[in-house]
Amino acid sequence: IGGLGYMVASSLLLLIFRREPTLHERLMLKDSLGTLTLKETSELVWRAVRFTLAMELTGAVILTARFLLEPGHTVFMALWRGLFHSISAFCNAGFDILGPGEHGGSLSGFRDDPVVNFTVMALIVIGGLGFIVCQEMMPPRRRRLSLHSRVVLTMTFLLIVLGTLSFLATEWTNVHTLGPLSVPQKLLASLFQAVTFRTAGFYTLDFGEMRSITLLIGGILMFIGASPGGTGGGIKTTTFAVMLVAVKAALRGDRDAEVFNRRLDADLVYRALTMIFVAF
């Protein structure tokens, strides 16, 4: 239910009980999922449901197969853990059921495991992008990506890259986190923390041993969060992007704020700055 989102889940219930959403409900659905037309609301809801289940089941299969290789894991235990962590990752929840373990809890025991790391990261990012962005990227693509999708993908990429580099810079010599690791291990651990810092809650390194500057950077990433229609929180990547282009326009003395050669309405800029101020 969390992965579907409140509006999609409630619209799904209406469709199950054979009642079409009202105009007001369709407008709310449009706002919650991003830039959409009001046509084919029913098909949109079903596509969102199918997409969510497909992503969570794919992640569950991969994680279950990996957990089966762990000593003492029965088929049922591996399936239970694979399904739980797949849903938790896609919903950007970050809850785990692995227990404290010998490495410090969460996914610390799989710090160097590329299968677990990249599967969980992919689920977190896909869930955080939102259904509309993912749908536009699916083949066959009949048109260019919308402005919304381009902004979301660009900001997501930049935040992950900058978060990874920041984590490497601040924790490289910390003997309790990245210090003892090899360069490939440092890169993987930093990438994972940059992804999970923004919108989820898993970890492969002990947050309690990180330096204050690292936690401050993590707080900024969490404040920005995921994207509209995604499963994560925060002010959203698009809101932060609007603030950046507005500041750039002000510094250059431009009359309008533009992104990808598209002018942003002043009302949109005001709403973004208000959202950031209230959230702060």
Side-chain angles (χ1 to χ4, degrees):
I1 293 173
L4 292 174
Y6 171 76
M7 285 309 303
V8 174
S10 58
S11 299
L12 177 63
L13 285 177
L14 293 177
L15 294 175
I16 290 174
F17 290 108
R18 309 288 180 146
R19 186 171 81 78
E20 284 291 322
T22 64
L23 177 61
H24 176 68
E25 290 162 345
R26 293 187 187 205
L27 287 170
M28 291 182 66
L29 184 65
K30 175 179 178 293
D31 284 340
S32 69
L33 289 179
T35 52
L36 294 170
T37 63
L38 292 175
K39 298 178 181 179
E40 301 178 347
T41 306
S42 302
E43 178 58 28
L44 175 73
V45 170
W46 285 115
R47 284 205 303 267
V49 172
R50 290 195 295 267
F51 172 78
T52 300
L53 292 177
M55 291 298 100
E56 292 177 346
L57 287 174
T58 301
V61 169
I62 296 173
L63 292 177
T64 297
R66 176 60 187 86
F67 289 141
L68 272 174
L69 301 178
E70 288 295 295
H73 275 58
T74 63
V75 174
F76 175 78
M77 184 185 297
L79 178 62
W80 165 230
R81 289 184 169 182
L83 183 62
F84 185 95
H85 293 101
S86 176
I87 295 174
S88 183
F90 183 82
C91 293
N92 280 236
F95 292 110
D96 73 276
I97 53 172
L98 296 174
E102 59 179 303
H103 299 285
S106 190
L107 299 177
S108 300
F110 300 93
R111 184 192 63 203
D112 306 324
D113 190 301
V115 174
V116 173
N117 276 260
F118 283 106
T119 301
V120 171
M121 282 191 289
L123 289 167
I124 291 172
V125 171
I126 292 172
L129 288 176
F131 167 67
I132 296 303
V133 176
C134 293
Q135 179 183 239
E136 285 192 20
M137 295 174 63
M138 291 178 187
R141 282 177 52 190
R142 298 183 177 85
R143 58 187 178 87
R144 291 179 60 193
L145 291 175
S146 65
L147 177 63
H148 170 81
S149 294
R150 280 183 283 166
V151 171
V152 165
L153 291 171
T154 302
M155 288 303 303
T156 299
F157 175 78
L158 289 176
L159 289 171
I160 291 175
V161 171
L162 292 175
T164 301
L165 294 177
S166 299
F167 195 90
L168 283 169
T170 57
E171 294 294 318
W172 187 275
T173 58
N174 188 342
V175 296
H176 300 293
T177 55
L178 295 183
L181 307 182
S182 65
V183 173
Q185 290 174 329
K186 288 179 179 180
L187 289 172
L188 180 60
S190 298
L191 176 62
F192 186 86
Q193 301 310 142
V195 170
T196 192
F197 247 145
R198 281 181 52 231
T199 55
F202 296 109
Y203 60 89
T204 57
L205 296 171
D206 189 354
F207 284 148
E209 299 292 345
M210 293 179 188
R211 291 169 173 157
S212 298
I213 183 63
T214 309
L215 298 178
L216 175 61
I217 294 170
I220 295 172
L221 292 173
M222 286 187 278
F223 180 78
I224 299 170
S227 303
T231 56
I235 60 172
K236 307 302 182 186
T237 53
T238 48
T239 306
F240 187 66
V242 169
M243 184 197 73
L244 290 181
V245 296
V247 170
K248 177 185 174 183
L251 291 175
R252 294 177 57 180
D254 295 337
R255 180 182 178 88
D256 300 312
E258 295 184 357
V259 57
F260 292 117
N261 297 318
R262 297 278 296 276
R263 184 180 65 84
L264 301 180
D265 291 336
D267 180 60
L268 188 65
V269 175
Y270 292 147
R271 287 172 58 190
L273 294 178
T274 302
M275 171 66 73
I276 292 171
F277 179 79
V278 172
F280 183 78

